[in-house]
Amino acid sequence: MQLESELHALASEIAWPPTPTLRPRLEPRRRELRRPVLAALALSLTAIAAALAVPPSRAAILRFFHLGAATVQIVEQLPPAQERPLAAGLGPTVPTAAAQATLQGMLLLPPLAPPPPLHLRDGIVSLLFRYHGAVVLLSEISDRNGVLVKKLAGSATHIVPVQVGHNAGLWLSGAPHLFILPSGPPRLAHAVLLWHDGHLTLRLEGKHLTETAANTLAQTLG
Amino acid sequence: MVGVVGGVEGRPPDERELVLRARRGDMRAFEDLVSPHQELAFRVAYLITRNPADAEDTAQEALVKAWRGLGRFRAGAPLRPWLLRIVANEARNRSRASGRRAQLALRAAADFSGEAAPSPEEATLAGSERELLLAALEQLPDDARLVLECRYLLDLSERETAAALGLRRGTVKSRTARALDRLRETYATRV
């Protein structure tokens, strides 16, 4: 007990650096941005759903919609592409400061200790890690960097609108879709949760990822 | 007690209301919500980063993340442990990236700012048992040092320490006991 008392007493003699006045630059919360995003998404999905519901139009369908820095396009037939490892083409690892600078301080991390390495390529910050034993890839893109990624999905890919916390998103599952990055060859992607958080577009991918697991993981990012 | 941040986990009665208002986008409510915790947030960040500039950046960044993540905060839960967890996560990332933490040391007096920490021998000559205790504390492994600093220097509860360090409460309890034993051994050889 004496040592504990001495430690408590020590606390009063620590010369802490003066606490600065913290004035974080707060942006309006996504709640204010959510309505237009949801509205645009709803319109797009309605169009897709309507088109898919009419068999004669299925062959000719060519629709696309946007979610943040991502464009999802429904095509009649996927172009040929290879299945490549999730770790392929992520770019070199970078310090947190570099990733934060790329994303204008909006980087979100999974609650893992230590945090997974951060990769950076073409303005996309990527983290590859295990979640409940399965390998998942988290990609983060700032809307402000002019980076766009594209997804091509055939009619056998299921695309459903989802809520990720307060944010609008899409869950892609079923048949693999094509994932096209700003550089590098396209590759096939399996289950993907895509959502938009403020000015950040996020993407979680894993071959064995379920919608529930992806959504749960997405909401733990911070 | 000068320099010790209050360790009571109790929440002001209007915290829940402030959370709800902040969730609706009321920035002023958010400032009112986090303002009582700013000093503690900065000190947690400082203990981990050991650099005032990094600690300030960390705390700023953590508040931005808290603002953005408020929708995931469970209304009615105490805010402070949640906020400390965000601060500590951010501090660990920044500390790891900067690699400067090892060059810094906790000071026993403001006059030492910018110089190397006094060695245990110097502290002995100065006749200060507190400085000896501080030197012994600083020589503990990071895990042990941080848990004691959170519990005793910041006066955090076990729950808050667990949140800040990403541990279970039981782990905080056992780690604190082991760290105290280790500190006791080290300190005993110096006085």
Side-chain angles (χ1 to χ4, degrees), chain B residues 66-150:
Chain B
W67 165 254
R68 298 176 71 227
L70 205 56
R72 296 191 289 270
F73 174 68
R74 186 165 53 85
L79 182 84
R80 206 166 91 160
W82 180 76
L83 189 62
L84 293 181
R85 182 173 60 81
I86 297 173
V87 170
N89 279 340
E90 188 63 28
R92 279 191 289 271
N93 292 337
R94 195 170 292 264
S95 177
R96 193 184 61 161
S98 72
R100 292 193 294 265
R101 195 201 68 77
Q103 300 171 16
L104 301 169
L106 195 64
R107 313 299 186 192
D111 293 346
F112 291 134
S113 179
E115 300 174 8
S119 69
E121 289 75 17
E122 288 169 332
T124 303
L125 289 173
S128 167
E129 290 189 1
R130 295 275 163 79
E131 288 182 347
L132 283 169
L133 177 58
L134 185 62
L137 178 64
E138 286 295 287
Q139 289 197 355
L140 292 179
D142 279 357
D143 288 353
R145 176 182 62 79
L146 274 173
V147 78
L148 292 185
E149 288 173 343
C150 285

Side-chain angles (χ1 to χ4, degrees), chain B residues 6 14 27-28 33 52 65 75 100 103 152 154-155 185-186:
Chain B
D14 58 344
M27 292 184 188
R28 181 63 183 271
L33 192 62
K65 287 193 169 181
R100 292 193 294 265
Q103 300 171 16
Y152 296 102
L154 296 182
D155 209 17
E185 289 171 13
T186 311

Side-chain angles (χ1 to χ4, degrees), chain B:
Chain B
M1 192 183 283
V2 179
V4 174
V5 182
V8 179
E9 266 191 56
R11 292 169 280 128
D14 58 344
E15 187 174 283
R16 186 188 177 95
E17 173 61 25
L18 288 173
V19 168
L20 294 174
R21 280 170 46 199
R23 276 181 169 178
R24 291 195 291 266
D26 184 340
M27 292 184 188
R28 181 63 183 271
F30 181 75
E31 289 173 7
D32 291 345
L33 192 62
V34 299
S35 176
H37 309 301
Q38 289 200 0
E39 184 174 72
L40 182 60
F42 175 73
R43 290 182 180 182
V44 166
Y46 180 70
L47 282 178
I48 296 172
T49 63
R50 293 308 178 90
N51 179 302
D54 281 350
E56 180 175 352
D57 288 349
T58 293
Q60 297 270 20
E61 180 69 23
L63 291 182
V64 172
K65 287 193 169 181
W67 165 254
R68 298 176 71 227
L70 205 56
R72 296 191 289 270
F73 174 68
R74 186 165 53 85
L79 182 84
R80 206 166 91 160
W82 180 76
L83 189 62
L84 293 181
R85 182 173 60 81
I86 297 173
V87 170
N89 279 340
E90 188 63 28
R92 279 191 289 271
N93 292 337
R94 195 170 292 264
S95 177
R96 193 184 61 161
S98 72
R100 292 193 294 265
R101 195 201 68 77
Q103 300 171 16
L104 301 169
L106 195 64
R107 313 299 186 192
D111 293 346
F112 291 134
S113 179
E115 300 174 8
S119 69
E121 289 75 17
E122 288 169 332
T124 303
L125 289 173
S128 167
E129 290 189 1
R130 295 275 163 79
E131 288 182 347
L132 283 169
L133 177 58
L134 185 62
L137 178 64
E138 286 295 287
Q139 289 197 355
L140 292 179
D142 279 357
D143 288 353
R145 176 182 62 79
L146 274 173
V147 78
L148 292 185
E149 288 173 343
C150 285
R151 292 287 285 121
Y152 296 102
L153 300 191
L154 296 182
D155 209 17
L156 299 187
S157 67
E158 283 180 356
R159 176 181 183 168
E160 290 169 328
T161 302
L165 301 182
L167 303 171
R168 296 173 189 272
R169 281 177 75 169
T171 306
V172 169
K173 191 186 283 284
S174 58
R175 189 175 288 183
T176 300
R178 283 199 303 272
L180 281 172
D181 286 343
R182 192 159 180 172
L183 179 64
R184 197 170 281 114
E185 289 171 13
T186 311
Y187 183 46
T189 63
R190 299 176 188 278
V191 293

